[in-house]
Amino acid sequence: MLILMRRAGESIHIGQNIVVTLVSLDRNRARIGIQAPREITVDREEIAKKKQSGQEPPLAHRAEEDESCEDSAED
């Protein structure tokens, strides 16, 4: 595993199409923004595990997530 240190507002580029940005830090939680092509699946670990085990994860706030992804992709 590659471990990198970043400050809030700094980014990491993965290949040519993916940018991971440390948006903010609050105590022991980090807010991370991810810009990636729509065909790339990005899931939190617990959602990925549910998908792998065959369980369907809940689709809460899907429309809001899609909308925010489109806005940030245009930047």
Side-chain angles (χ1 to χ4, degrees):
M1 174 187 299
L2 174 63
I3 299 173
L4 302 171
M5 295 176 61
R6 298 279 73 197
R7 291 188 170 104
E10 294 181 337
S11 299
I12 296 167
H13 291 252
I14 302 172
Q16 294 182 355
N17 297 330
I18 302 172
V19 179
V20 179
T21 302
L22 179 57
V23 176
S24 65
L25 290 169
D26 184 30
R27 295 186 184 157
N28 65 342
R29 298 189 80 172
R31 291 189 74 182
I32 299 169
I34 302 169
Q35 291 179 321
R38 280 194 141 339
E39 59 270 10
I40 303 283
T41 301
V42 179
D43 288 322
R44 295 178 308 193
E45 182 179 23
E46 61 273 19
I47 300 297
K49 285 181 178 179
K50 283 184 179 183
K51 285 181 177 180
Q52 289 173 356
S53 69
Q55 296 177 352
E56 192 62 34
L59 295 175
H61 307 293
R62 185 65 196 163
E64 290 176 18
E65 291 174 7
D66 286 346
E67 191 174 298
S68 66
C69 289
E70 289 175 12
D71 291 342
S72 62
E74 293 174 4
D75 293 339

